[in-house]
Amino acid sequence: MSNAIEGVDTQAGQGDRIEHDSMGELRVPAAALWGAQTQRAVENFPVSGMPMPRGFIRALGLVKAACAVANLELGTLDGERAEAIRQAALAVAEGRYDAHFPIDVFQTGSGTSSNMNANEVIAHLASAACGKAVHPNDHVNYGQSSNDVVPTALHVGAALLIEESLLPALQHLEAAILARADELKGHTKTGRTHLMDAMPVRLDQELGGWAAQVRNAQRRIAQAAEGLHALALGGTAVGTGVNAVPGAAEAAIAWLADETGVAFRPNDNRFEALSSQDAAVAASGALKSLATALMKIANDLRWMNSGPLAGLGEISLQSLQPGSSIMPGKVNPVIPEAVCQVAAQMIGNDAAITIGGQAGNFQLNVMLPLITHNLLQSIELAANVSRLLADRAIAGFTVNAPRLSAALDRNPILVTALNARIGYERGAAIAKRAYAEGRPVLDVACEMTDLEREELAALLDPRQLTGS
């Protein structure tokens, strides 16, 4: 097989060849491995310039290879054609021919154009490899429909990215947070509620909350991913399995599970599998929950790093790049800012996926390319930015211990610890005076209560107030 031809000009012009489909003849760039139906889609959908994502093309190649294996096992394709299709499809899955998948994300809602793109490229490669004519529909797409292949590839692509990329990245992030928490047990700081001074907490407790958010996000995502393991393959056009060979979908899905190590299975109800994308919506919802956790952690880091003189200045994030084109010496929290932008994109993607999910008109969802693009993008962005957050923000920040201590010493809210001894109202009076005079609460409490300074110091010890 030839390697992918980089930079293929998708527009017909000089050096074309003539291809045909059921609608007639059409000029296709001579270097292109696709055929007439792909070319029609290229010309019909010059919308965004964004092709379908790599994860989807990989999954599409794996599905086509799986179907070729099943058709060979069942004797519905001859051995030479089936093996040539399998090899070509796996080459597509590996990414060797991505330049030949030019169709825009915003295309026909079933993704038929992308399915035919794969059929045509694989047929072209397989024909050259085995010396026999391999037809895109009659051989590569045998026993299949775009209506079951595309939702199957959507699920496979998303499940693989979650399993291979996102969950390991989140495990890495959780481990990085826990490692820093263990290092920072000795630091106590002012807690904050409503962004206002509150009772003290330890840094390891604060980071432990972050780690729990990431751990819970993993659990939700893994649970949602199980829904993606149920595949539509075998439903063909409307869920009835018309033209499908009995047992072929089951054999193909079993091969996919063995090949990928993911527990893919036939969907119990293929009408649901074709007409809805509830599993994708659920997975996106779990990703949105992760996005909110990532944004919370990133914003906490930004606040803690703020200043360094006029802000909180509790920590210093690693200096990665100059922060201003006009203000020399300024350094910004660039990684947390990138994390927040990714989180915003994920939340926006979820909104579009939610709208896409309700587009299951009767027997087919007709926003499959949009759902595919947004879901895979959210997974990939989350995986990438989680590693950045771990390695370039969490792992490298330093603690400004004197700043933490100075703020704690002057925190009037510590008087809360005296409630049981002096009552809420006297405590409030002490706090207000300490605020007004800018004095440590210990000094004011000594003046306004009958308690000995030694006892007050023990009761107001910030470290003791953080619990176990």
Side-chain angles (χ1 to χ4, degrees):
M1 297 182 192
S2 62
N3 289 328
I5 304 167
E6 297 297 332
V8 175
D9 184 357
T10 60
Q11 300 304 311
Q14 292 184 344
D16 299 337
R17 68 178 192 272
I18 302 297
E19 292 278 349
H20 75 276
D21 58 13
S22 61
M23 295 184 71
E25 293 185 345
L26 192 68
R27 291 185 174 274
V28 174
L33 298 180
W34 63 78
Q37 291 203 45
T38 301
Q39 186 64 32
R40 292 188 195 281
V42 167
E43 296 175 7
N44 285 337
F45 306 114
V47 181
S48 69
M50 298 186 299
M52 294 296 286
R54 163 97 279 273
F56 175 76
I57 303 304
R58 175 196 180 192
L60 202 50
L62 289 172
V63 171
K64 294 298 176 181
C67 289
V69 170
N71 284 323
L72 177 61
E73 290 178 1
L74 296 171
T76 49
L77 279 180
D78 66 89
E80 290 182 350
R81 283 191 176 91
E83 178 59 19
I85 291 170
R86 185 189 72 85
Q87 290 186 20
L90 288 177
V92 165
E94 291 168 6
R96 291 170 55 187
Y97 299 99
D98 283 0
H100 297 271
F101 287 82
I103 297 173
D104 203 275
V105 166
F106 299 100
Q107 53 169 288
T108 176
S110 62
T112 297
S113 297
S114 286
N115 183 44
M116 284 308 304
N117 191 173
N119 290 335
E120 290 177 342
V121 169
I122 293 168
H124 189 117
L125 295 169
S127 295
C130 73
K132 291 184 175 181
V134 177
H135 194 277
N137 300 81
D138 295 339
H139 299 128
V140 182
N141 201 61
Y142 187 87
Q144 307 152 52
S145 165
S146 299
N147 297 353
D148 63 348
V149 165
V150 172
T152 295
L154 189 170
H155 278 211
V156 170
L160 290 176
L161 271 180
I162 288 171
E163 182 73 21
E164 298 172 354
S165 184
L166 180 55
L167 291 178
L170 294 179
Q171 290 161 10
H172 178 71
L173 175 58
E174 181 190 356
I177 295 172
L178 289 173
R180 288 313 308 277
D182 190 58
E183 293 174 19
L184 302 174
K185 284 181 179 178
H187 294 283
T188 303
K189 57 167 281 185
T190 300
R192 292 181 181 84
T193 59
H194 304 270
L195 293 180
M196 305 301 286
D197 298 343
M199 292 297 285
V201 296
R202 299 193 311 271
L203 273 178
D204 65 294
Q205 293 172 325
E206 191 163 50
L207 269 66
W210 299 349
Q213 284 188 278
V214 176
R215 182 164 56 253
N216 287 330
Q218 292 174 59
R219 175 181 53 79
R220 295 185 192 99
I221 291 167
Q223 184 177 21
E226 292 182 5
L228 297 171
H229 297 168
L231 304 183
L233 199 65
T236 65
V238 292
T240 60
V242 62
N243 287 351
V245 179
E250 289 75 13
I253 292 170
W255 183 90
L256 276 172
D258 289 341
E259 184 75 10
T260 63
V262 176
F264 293 118
R265 62 186 186 276
N267 194 298
D268 293 337
N269 189 305
R270 287 173 174 136
F271 298 100
E272 187 263 356
L274 268 64
S275 64
S276 80
Q277 277 301 315
D278 295 348
V281 172
S284 181
L287 292 169
K288 182 175 71 172
S289 178
L290 168 63
T292 63
L294 291 175
M295 187 173 281
K296 186 263 193 282
I297 295 167
N299 276 327
D300 280 357
L301 286 167
R302 291 174 63 228
W303 279 106
M304 293 162 71
N305 179 77
S306 62
L309 299 179
L312 297 180
E314 294 180 343
I315 65 170
S316 295
L317 291 167
Q318 183 179 355
S319 298
L320 296 176
Q321 63 187 59
S324 173
S325 62
I326 190 172
M327 292 177 281
K330 192 171 189 293
V331 179
N332 298 329
V334 293
I335 297 300
E337 288 174 355
V339 172
C340 288
Q341 290 177 83
V342 163
Q345 182 66 51
M346 292 169 66
I347 293 167
N349 283 349
D350 177 71
I353 290 169
T354 302
I355 294 170
Q358 60 77 46
N361 307 132
F362 298 109
Q363 277 69 60
L364 183 67
N365 182 284
V366 289
M367 289 196 185
L368 293 174
L370 169 70
I371 295 171
T372 299
H373 173 270
N374 284 18
L375 186 60
L376 298 190
Q377 184 188 68
S378 288
I379 297 168
E380 188 170 12
L381 288 175
N384 292 342
V385 85
S386 293
R387 290 190 179 276
L388 285 180
L389 181 61
D391 297 339
R392 300 190 186 182
I394 300 293
F397 74 77
T398 56
V399 178
N400 187 346
R403 190 74 170 257
L404 296 184
S405 296
L408 272 175
D409 291 343
R410 302 176 70 85
N411 182 8
I413 302 301
L414 294 176
V415 77
T416 303
L418 306 182
N419 281 359
R421 300 293 299 275
I422 66 175
Y424 183 93
E425 291 191 9
R426 287 186 69 191
I430 292 171
K432 288 177 181 178
R433 181 175 168 187
Y435 273 127
E437 297 178 3
R439 298 169 61 200
V441 69
L442 175 60
D443 293 345
V444 177
C446 283
E447 298 173 4
M448 296 182 65
T449 71
D450 296 329
L451 300 176
E452 295 295 327
R453 185 178 185 88
E454 183 177 338
E455 182 181 3
L456 284 170
L459 290 171
L460 296 173
D461 181 358
R463 180 76 180 183
Q464 296 301 315
L465 295 174
T466 63
S468 59

